[in-house]
Amino acid sequence: MVCRAQELLISQGVLEGRAGSGTYVAEPRQRVRVVRSSAREQPNGSPFCADMKAVGRQGDWESRTDAKVPAPAEIAARLGIAEGDLCVRTAYEFLADGRPVQLSTSWEPYDLTAGTLVVLPEGGPHAGAGVVNRMATIDITVSHAVEQPEPQQATAEGASLLGVQKAALVTHIRRTYYSDEGRPVETADIVASAAHCEIVYEIPINR
């Protein structure tokens, strides 16, 4: 009973878990609004940082990239490649005012960017520019993205990184970017704490 009550309070943002330390009363913390929209792509800089600036927050991120990682079956299916084909995998931790609000694991087919200046998403002259802008530098036009959001429970690793209880409610978004030729050029799993992050979709209307 006590554990369930603690988990509920963490999911509501009243308490917060700290990896290797324990559970504490959370400092007052408003949910961060993140707008998902095709209009969020910026000519320069990070879309996430632009989102944070729009709500008066300081956006930043940490990342780790592993090149030439064999694609697992699910990722291969999403990218339209064979299982085991090499990919560039980048894990992100997105921060608002220095506190984690969103995680993402991105996969790009290695043969798409191999030998170019954008093979590493967070390295080279176009580091941090986002998928759309990076692909444009190698003459690949990203025409659209497909996103599938769904509620899930946080994994042990995700909960530790986000500072929430294991199995706390999170929003999981499965996103894939496509070129104008219909080829998947990147796919990602995005995870945001429901207690700390509000996901909003903006739908542009063409007139």
Side-chain angles (χ1 to χ4, degrees), residues 14-192:
V14 177
L15 301 178
E16 64 179 2
R18 299 177 189 172
S21 178
T23 303
Y24 300 83
V25 175
E27 298 177 12
R29 184 176 180 183
Q30 292 183 337
R31 296 173 77 198
V32 175
R33 170 171 283 204
V34 177
V35 178
R36 312 291 302 178
S37 169
S38 59
R40 69 193 290 271
E41 298 294 343
Q42 303 293 311
N44 297 294
S46 160
F48 176 79
C49 288
D51 286 345
M52 293 303 98
K53 183 177 181 180
V55 294
R57 302 292 185 96
Q58 178 67 43
D60 200 0
W61 70 92
E62 298 175 358
S63 66
R64 184 186 72 255
T65 296
D66 297 302
K68 299 184 178 181
V69 178
E74 181 188 351
I75 297 301
R78 285 155 60 175
L79 289 174
I81 59 179
E83 182 178 356
D85 281 0
L86 298 181
C87 289
V88 177
R89 180 183 63 196
T90 305
Y92 292 91
E93 183 177 352
F94 292 97
L95 312 171
D97 293 338
R99 305 181 74 170
V101 295
Q102 184 175 290
L103 309 173
S104 177
T105 303
S106 166
W107 298 77
E108 296 178 359
Y110 179 72
D111 68 355
L112 191 68
T113 57
T116 74
L117 293 175
V118 297
V119 65
L120 301 178
E122 299 300 321
H126 304 287
V131 175
V132 175
N133 295 321
R134 288 176 46 251
M135 293 299 167
T137 68
I138 55 174
D139 298 322
I140 295 176
T141 300
V142 176
S143 62
H144 67 286
V146 174
E147 294 194 349
Q148 179 182 342
E150 59 185 5
Q152 285 189 355
Q153 292 182 318
T155 63
E157 180 182 7
S160 177
L161 290 171
L162 289 170
V164 298
Q165 189 75 19
K166 181 183 176 182
L169 184 64
V170 297
T171 300
H172 173 249
I173 301 172
R174 186 179 292 107
R175 181 199 69 203
T176 303
Y177 278 110
Y178 294 85
S179 74
D180 57 356
E181 297 178 346
R183 176 179 181 177
V185 299
E186 187 263 7
T187 194
D189 290 288
I190 301 165
V191 178

